[in-house]
Amino acid sequence: MFTGLVEGQGTVSEAVVEGAGTRLVITPPAALCDGTAIGDSIAINGCCLTVVAADAGRWTFQAGPETLARTNLGRLRAQDCVNLERALPVAARLGGHFVQGHIDGCATVDRILPDGPWVTIWFRATKDLTRQMVSKGSSRSTA
């Protein structure tokens, strides 16, 4: 489980196609490296993946065909930035929402309306995705 609040941004070091899947190597910010180990769940751009290797300040993940078909992870290339969040520890304070990190599809940004420190964003998604979505949401700005 995750809160949906981005902890930091990492950089894609490698994105290597391996058969029907892709191996992603991410360089996270130093503040997120402490204690991360093989088997940990990390949300990358909101999608839960499992760490398969963690060494020298880099995390490695394997994304399978289903994940690549339903997320933007298959379009990532070296030097791309990604949003990162570590899984929520059981005793942690919940500052966001319960988020599973299981992705059903991608939407496209339809319109962006800046208004001072606020931004309203409209998304376009297929009906099979929108039937389970809430109509409104908010998030605090990190700017």
Side-chain angles (χ1 to χ4, degrees), residues 32-129:
L32 299 186
C33 289
D34 290 344
T36 300
I38 293 172
D40 285 355
S41 294
I42 306 287
I44 302 173
N45 288 349
C47 178
C48 178
L49 290 181
T50 302
V51 176
V52 298
D55 55 14
R58 295 179 0 148
W59 298 335
T60 302
F61 306 87
Q62 292 173 316
E66 180 75 5
T67 297
L68 298 173
R70 294 182 179 266
T71 69
N72 69 354
L73 301 184
R75 295 190 298 269
L76 293 174
R77 300 292 174 254
Q79 302 307 312
D80 285 348
C81 289
V82 292
N83 293 325
L84 300 171
E85 180 190 356
R86 294 169 294 179
L88 181 65
V90 174
R93 181 173 173 265
L94 180 61
H97 309 277
F98 282 121
V99 178
Q100 291 181 329
H102 300 176
I103 309 297
D104 292 319
C106 289
T108 57
V109 175
D110 197 38
R111 184 174 167 205
I112 300 174
L113 180 62
D115 184 13
W118 296 93
V119 177
T120 301
I121 304 173
W122 285 265
F123 296 92
R124 184 173 307 277
T126 59
K127 287 188 191 275
D128 63 315
L129 294 176

Side-chain angles (χ1 to χ4, degrees), residues 1-24:
M1 296 298 281
F2 302 91
T3 64
L5 300 175
V6 174
E7 288 186 86
Q9 287 194 316
T11 304
V12 175
S13 300
E14 298 175 41
V16 180
V17 175
E18 296 179 331
T22 296
R23 179 173 38 91
L24 294 171

